[in-house]
Amino acid sequence: MGKLEAAHIVWDWNGTLFHDNDAIIGATNAAFAELGLKPITLEQYRALYCVPVPKFYERLMGRLPTDAEWEVMDGTFHRYYTEHRVRCGLTEGAVELLAGWRSAGRSQSILSMYGHDDLVPLVRGFGIESHFIRVDGRTGPSGGSKAEHMVRHLAALAGVNPERTVVIGDAADDAVAALHVGARAVLYTGGSHSRGSLESAGVPVVDTLQEAVAEAERLAAA
């Protein structure tokens, strides 16, 4: 099997395959309102967002939230998001790209920081689950980094070589997680980060998922 045929994509979900910006901003502002913080715009969110999420709140509050504040904000965020995600759909072109990658004999998976028990039925509901050899959401508390989850994710993928793996996501943390396991990364500007903040990660940055897959092919074959 040649290098290109062995290529594997690990897809991020929120903000990458799933175009949920409106639900994310609404949920963030609902969480802020619990603490009397002013709402923010999508542009502000993209400029300031970072992980772990409590650090993002620190940028807006001037201090880290207390444990009690974090619990309230996190709970509010997820309640609002669950209610409003139903209005969101897949990113333009995603279905065709997933089918094309699979039909070419290459493998792909999803690793998301969205809760596993919520992620799996959502992916299944869009009729795309069969394109992936594994779908992993977050287990355990929210608010952490993706790197350790990526270690477990790749370890569970039989026959997938990290050196021939490309992570496609919309956040700098996706690039950090890829580097942590010896994989490559391509970052997409349609989600939670501004182009400027993504470019600081030192990996290719693209504006469409079509470009992301083309770049993944190039990286995996290098």
Side-chain angles (χ1 to χ4, degrees), residues 13-86:
W13 179 247
N14 303 94
T16 304
L17 287 176
F18 190 44
H19 188 65
D20 60 351
N21 289 347
D22 289 346
I24 290 285
I25 291 299
T28 299
N29 284 330
F32 288 173
E34 290 290 334
L35 268 64
L37 297 173
K38 294 180 180 178
I40 63 171
T41 65
L42 177 60
E43 290 71 26
Q44 289 171 315
Y45 182 93
R46 283 176 162 165
L48 295 171
Y49 182 76
C50 64
V51 293
V53 177
K55 293 289 291 182
F56 168 53
Y57 290 157
E58 182 182 26
R59 290 181 173 186
L60 292 152
M61 299 170 64
R63 60 174 176 81
L64 280 169
T66 66
D67 290 346
E69 287 172 337
W70 164 251
E71 187 173 340
V72 168
M73 295 173 81
D74 191 49
T76 300
F77 178 95
H78 285 98
R79 282 194 301 275
Y80 183 101
Y81 180 85
T82 299
E83 180 182 346
H84 290 268
R85 74 183 185 195
V86 295

Side-chain angles (χ1 to χ4, degrees), residues 8-14 16-18 91 93-99 101-102 107-113 119 128 131-132 134-136 146 150 153 165-170 174 186 188 208-214 216:
H8 180 84
I9 290 176
V10 177
W11 290 96
D12 174 55
W13 179 247
N14 303 94
T16 304
L17 287 176
F18 190 44
T91 301
V95 172
E96 293 79 9
L97 290 166
L98 295 172
W101 188 265
R102 181 188 179 198
S107 62
Q108 54 198 331
S109 59
I110 292 177
L111 175 62
S112 174
M113 295 298 280
L119 173 67
I128 59 173
H131 293 312
F132 306 104
R134 188 174 182 90
V135 176
D136 277 338
K146 207 172 200 175
M150 187 67 73
H153 182 70
T165 297
V166 180
V167 178
I168 297 178
D170 70 317
D174 292 301
V186 179
Y188 163 62
T208 67
L209 293 189
Q210 288 88 341
E211 292 174 279
V213 170

